[in-house]
Amino acid sequence: MGVIEKVLSFVFGGGRNVLKETVEVFRENADAGAQRAQDVQIAAMQGHAAEFRAQDRGRFDRVMDAVNRLPRPAMALGCLALFVSAMVDPVWLAARMSGIALVPEPLWWLLGVVVSFHFGARHQAKGQEFQRTMGLNLKRVPEVIEVIEDLNRLKEDTRKNANSLMEDKDNQALVEWRKQSSGGATK
């Protein structure tokens, strides 16, 4: 009995588990590895999110964002203004359009490149912002699924408890209530 006790206390005693520690030398603990991977991923996501926090942005960044929002509304309102000017003063508009007709073709190409780069860069920035928010939402999916599963289990437990209470023949209060509610006949 003493030898077995000494062997077991050597292997499992002192708050240690020598077998577990020995196995972990040759094979990674899956739980610890998953925790480390999660910690790395959380740290990376927090670092990425820190780059895009609105409260960390300075006045210059906010002004530049406002300026970047101007071209599309300005072009749309400018086109509408051209239609209005065609109705109000067609001669004035014809003089301006004659001037535009004299712009050389390479200048039109340059304007097309500038506008394309502006809207392309804005489209890319908005797409990346959308992907970032989708990533944050997808990160919460397991937590939402867990809450839904907990609620479904609670609902099922409540239904089972209600059914077991209704079937209880030993509950005198329930038997008396059934007699009173059914007019004296028990179910």
Side-chain angles (χ1 to χ4, degrees):
M1 183 74 176
V3 174
I4 294 174
E5 182 180 339
K6 286 181 183 180
V7 170
L8 289 176
S9 67
F10 173 73
V11 174
F12 299 109
R16 296 180 51 206
N17 187 337
V18 176
L19 289 176
K20 178 181 169 223
E21 292 171 5
T22 305
V23 169
E24 286 179 354
V25 169
F26 300 105
R27 185 171 184 271
E28 178 188 28
N29 183 330
D31 291 337
Q35 182 62 45
R36 284 191 297 274
Q38 181 184 13
D39 292 344
V40 167
Q41 186 175 10
I42 288 172
M45 292 176 82
Q46 287 173 341
H48 184 68
E51 295 179 21
F52 296 100
R53 286 200 180 101
Q55 63 264 24
D56 294 342
R57 298 173 60 160
R59 177 175 285 167
F60 177 78
D61 289 333
R62 291 192 304 264
V63 168
M64 290 313 296
D65 280 345
V67 169
N68 282 334
R69 289 187 182 108
L70 291 177
R72 281 190 288 186
M75 287 192 292
L77 292 173
C79 287
L80 291 174
L82 288 175
F83 282 105
V84 170
S85 67
M87 290 183 281
V88 172
D89 192 357
V91 175
W92 181 87
L93 180 65
R96 300 313 174 271
M97 292 299 114
S98 297
I100 288 180
L102 297 176
V103 173
E105 187 174 344
L107 209 52
W108 284 113
W109 281 100
L110 181 61
L111 177 65
V113 168
V114 168
V115 170
S116 296
F117 276 122
H118 171 76
F119 289 118
R122 183 157 175 82
H123 175 72
Q124 181 180 2
K126 290 295 182 180
Q128 288 173 342
E129 181 180 341
F130 174 74
Q131 288 177 351
R132 181 182 61 82
T133 57
M134 287 302 294
L136 292 175
N137 288 339
L138 287 176
K139 179 182 166 188
R140 296 186 63 210
V141 166
E143 157 184 337
V144 171
I145 289 173
E146 185 178 332
V147 168
I148 290 171
E149 288 172 350
D150 289 345
L151 289 173
N152 286 337
R153 278 194 297 273
L154 182 64
K155 179 179 171 183
E156 185 65 26
D157 290 346
T158 304
R159 188 185 62 77
K160 286 179 183 176
N161 288 341
N163 287 342
S164 68
L165 286 175
M166 294 304 288
E167 294 172 359
D168 192 7
K169 305 282 188 222
D170 297 332
N171 188 339
Q172 287 298 322
L174 184 60
V175 171
E176 291 297 322
W177 175 79
R178 284 184 181 153
K179 284 181 185 177
Q180 291 175 357
S181 65
S182 64
T186 59
K187 292 185 178 180

